[in-house]
Amino acid sequence: MDSLFFHPKVVHIPIALAVLMPLIAGGLTLAWWRGWLPRRTWVIAAALQALLVGSGFFAMRMGEESEERVEKVVSERLIHEHEEAAETFVWTAAGVLVLVLLAAAIPRERAALGLAAAATLGTVVVLVLGARTGEAGGALVYEHGAASAYVTGSGGAAPPVGAEEPDDDDD
């Protein structure tokens, strides 16, 4: 599978979930604490956080498959910075998943709610790390030309930004 088309699609799943999880986890924690929803609804947070972590690991794998090809166009240092940011993001999200699962599993209500609150704070940290990772990845593509590693027929170089396409009109 061509990682040019796959990696950019996969990375949006964990980034989108990183944006949504503070709202979802916060809302579920509040609803649980206030008694608006039963404790078992916390499984929603667990499922979505697990999806964030799983898709994050998958996106990292797809990025690793692209790395050698992109290194021909972009500095290895810049790629490594993005890779390190992604690893920090995904491993921190995995740590938050542990908190989410503990909140679901611990029988003592007060302790479980405390863990849910801690997990909710953790989702905010994951959001910040996800933004940092996305910014580094976006810079690779839009500032440093990483996508040009996949352009064919032009010697591997992307057309200049703002270049006009030939006019096919016969006026």
Side-chain angles (χ1 to χ4, degrees):
M1 189 172 304
D2 192 349
S3 60
L4 167 66
F5 298 110
F6 206 60
H7 179 71
K9 292 174 185 172
V10 172
V11 299
H12 289 94
I13 296 168
I15 296 296
L17 286 169
V19 171
L20 295 173
M21 282 306 296
L23 300 170
I24 293 167
L28 289 171
T29 302
L30 177 64
W32 175 8
W33 175 63
R34 300 287 292 171
W36 299 333
L37 291 173
R39 177 181 176 166
R40 68 180 174 269
T41 58
W42 185 249
V43 74
I44 296 167
L48 291 174
Q49 189 68 21
L51 181 60
L52 187 162
V53 172
S55 63
F57 278 116
F58 191 61
M60 283 194 316
R61 185 165 185 267
M62 294 295 98
E64 288 168 0
E65 289 181 11
S66 305
E67 184 175 5
E68 191 171 312
R69 188 169 184 175
V70 173
E71 280 179 349
K72 295 175 183 173
V73 179
V74 178
S75 159
E76 187 176 337
R77 177 187 60 81
L78 294 171
I79 295 168
H80 182 71
E81 287 174 7
H82 175 55
E83 182 179 8
E84 289 294 318
E87 289 173 358
T88 302
F89 165 61
V90 174
W91 283 108
T92 302
V96 171
L97 176 59
V98 170
L99 290 175
V100 170
L101 293 172
L102 285 172
I106 289 182
R108 288 191 15 219
E109 189 77 10
R110 189 175 182 135
L113 269 169
L115 283 168
T120 299
L121 290 175
T123 64
V124 174
V125 173
V126 170
L127 168 60
V128 171
L129 294 172
R132 188 178 122 215
T133 302
E135 187 176 333
L140 287 176
V141 173
Y142 297 109
E143 293 175 26
H144 304 291
S148 67
Y150 292 90
V151 175
T152 58
S154 61
V161 174
E164 293 185 22
E165 293 187 25
D167 188 7
D168 289 339
D169 286 342
D170 291 334
D171 314 310

